[in-house]
């Protein structure tokens, strides 16, 4: 227990999901050792499967963050970066807020929409409302795609599972590498419950703790809408410069309730037309 505590105590922020998969892998190899000691082939086989799956998940997540496992466990996002203006306090920009009515009008008049779901969607259980939202848009001639970051949520594939559960067609769901080039020609990027995976600081600030991490380039869309409960930082505890860009609007509130409001407003809009 003491060894485990000391191993993970320095790990924090966006690295924690990787740490969880590493510990999951460790539990599998511990089960393998116990299987050998007890001469129990079943325990050895099951432990091997758990250990390998945990290791594979850790590799996928580290690769998605453009970092090594050693750097995650012993470097960590929690390590403050040294910047040229370390003594200066960086002022926050001013964000723009928008109501559900405004977002609904924006979506209804769009031709291409990309939805980026994150952990906030999972917590609010908004996937069913989001599925209805996208269906309403598709039925009225709007092209809708989903952009999935490899480490969105707490495990690789979490967003894919939730969207499939809500009935979102597989051909609407795209990985980050497939969809990043499409943001230039997108009218609205709708980010629901995601933060760190859309943080432009990863590309714009070389001394940022997440510098080099691949992100979904939502700020390149004509309009970017962030649906968040508050203006709080994400799991990595870093401010997101995209919040303060001219083409970004914040729709604050519970993701499920806000998405249901959008569905209602959209149906009203299309019914009038």
């Amino acid at each position: 227990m003491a060894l485990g505590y000391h191993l993970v105590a320095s790990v924090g922020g966006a690295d924690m999901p990787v740490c969880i998969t590493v510990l999951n892998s460790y539990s599998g190899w511990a089960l393998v050792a116990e299987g050998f000691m007890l001469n129990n082939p079943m325990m050895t086989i099951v432990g091997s499967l758990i250990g390998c799956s945990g290791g594979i998940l850790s590799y996928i997540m580290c690769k998605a963050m453009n970092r090594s496992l050693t750097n995650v466990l012993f470097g960590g996002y929690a390590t403050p970066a040294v910047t040229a203006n370390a003594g200066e306090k960086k002022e926050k920009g001013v964000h723009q807020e928008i109501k559900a009515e405004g977002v609904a009008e924006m979506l209804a008049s769009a031709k291409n929409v990309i939805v980026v779901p994150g952990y906030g969607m999972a917590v609010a259980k908004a996937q069913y409302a989001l599925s209805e939202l996208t269906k309403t848009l598709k039925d009225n001639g709007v092209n809708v795609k989903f952009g999935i970051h490899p480490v969105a949520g707490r495990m690789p594939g979490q967003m894919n599972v939730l969207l499939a559960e809500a009935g979102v067609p597989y051909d609407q769901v795209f990985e980050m590498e497939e969809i990043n080039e499409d943001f230039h020609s997108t009218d609205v990027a709708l980010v629901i419950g995601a933060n760190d995976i859309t943080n432009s600081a990863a590309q714009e600030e070389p001394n940022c703790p997440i510098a080099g991490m691949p992100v979904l380039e939502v700020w390149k869309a004509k309009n970017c809408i962030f649906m968040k409960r508050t203006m709080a930082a994400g799991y990595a505890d870093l401010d997101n410069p995209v919040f303060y860009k001219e083409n970004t609007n914040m729709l604050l509130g519970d993701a499920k309730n806000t998405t249901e409001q959008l569905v209602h407003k959209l149906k009203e809009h299309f019914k009038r037309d």
Side-chain angles (χ1 to χ4, degrees):
M1 183 182 292
L3 177 62
Y5 173 79
H6 284 289
L7 182 64
V8 302
S10 62
V11 180
D15 291 338
M16 193 52 67
V18 182
C19 194
I20 292 171
T21 59
V22 170
L23 292 176
N24 182 53
S25 179
Y26 287 171
S27 70
W29 301 125
L31 189 60
V32 170
E34 188 175 354
F36 279 124
M37 291 175 64
L38 299 176
N39 195 26
N40 188 324
M42 184 58 70
M43 289 180 67
T44 304
I45 294 170
V46 172
S48 299
L49 292 174
I50 296 172
C52 289
S53 62
I56 292 170
L57 283 173
S58 301
Y59 170 77
I60 292 172
M61 297 180 80
C62 286
K63 185 178 179 182
M65 294 192 294
N66 196 28
R67 298 171 67 201
S68 66
L69 183 59
T70 304
N71 183 260
V72 169
L73 294 178
F74 302 107
Y77 280 118
T79 305
V82 179
T83 62
N85 302 317
E88 299 178 11
K89 186 177 180 180
K90 189 174 181 180
E91 293 184 4
K92 280 189 176 182
V94 178
H95 70 275
Q96 307 173 78
E97 293 189 20
I98 191 172
K99 299 294 184 182
E101 293 83 357
V103 177
E105 291 291 333
M106 204 178 288
L107 291 171
S109 60
K111 292 183 178 179
N112 296 295
V113 173
I114 295 180
V115 182
V116 177
Y119 186 62
M121 183 200 73
V123 172
K125 299 180 180 178
Q127 63 266 31
Y128 294 99
L130 185 58
S131 176
E132 187 177 358
L133 173 71
T134 55
K135 185 177 185 301
T136 302
L137 290 171
K138 290 281 286 185
D139 290 345
N140 288 276
V142 181
N143 181 33
V144 183
K145 297 179 181 179
F146 284 83
I148 308 297
H149 194 282
V151 294
R154 292 296 176 265
M155 293 286 176
Q158 182 181 8
M159 296 299 107
N160 303 70
V161 172
L162 292 176
L163 293 176
E165 179 186 283
V168 175
Y170 289 108
D171 59 359
Q172 284 184 243
V173 182
F174 297 86
E175 297 299 323
M176 177 181 63
E177 295 81 3
E178 299 174 299
I179 206 165
N180 252 349
E181 293 181 358
D182 294 344
F183 282 109
H184 289 284
S185 57
T186 299
D187 298 305
V188 180
L190 184 64
V191 184
I192 174 168
N195 192 340
D196 300 322
I197 61 173
T198 62
N199 197 325
S200 62
Q203 296 183 3
E204 299 169 350
E205 299 179 19
N207 293 315
C208 173
I210 61 170
M213 172 179 164
V215 293
L216 286 156
E217 300 168 349
V218 296
W219 62 91
K220 293 183 178 179
K222 184 177 179 181
N223 294 288
C224 183
I225 306 295
F226 272 87
M227 295 172 61
K228 284 172 56 67
R229 189 180 294 274
T230 67
M231 289 295 296
Y235 206 48
D237 196 28
L238 295 171
D239 198 26
N240 191 342
V242 183
F243 295 166
Y244 314 111
K245 291 185 182 293
E246 291 183 3
N247 64 330
T248 299
N249 288 280
M250 308 298 297
L251 179 58
L252 303 179
D254 178 78
K256 183 180 179 182
N257 294 337
T258 307
T259 307
E260 288 173 347
Q261 288 179 34
L262 288 177
V263 173
H264 178 68
K265 298 294 181 183
L266 279 171
K267 288 182 176 179
E268 281 187 344
H269 176 91
F270 290 126
K271 190 176 181 181
R272 289 197 304 267
D273 293 348

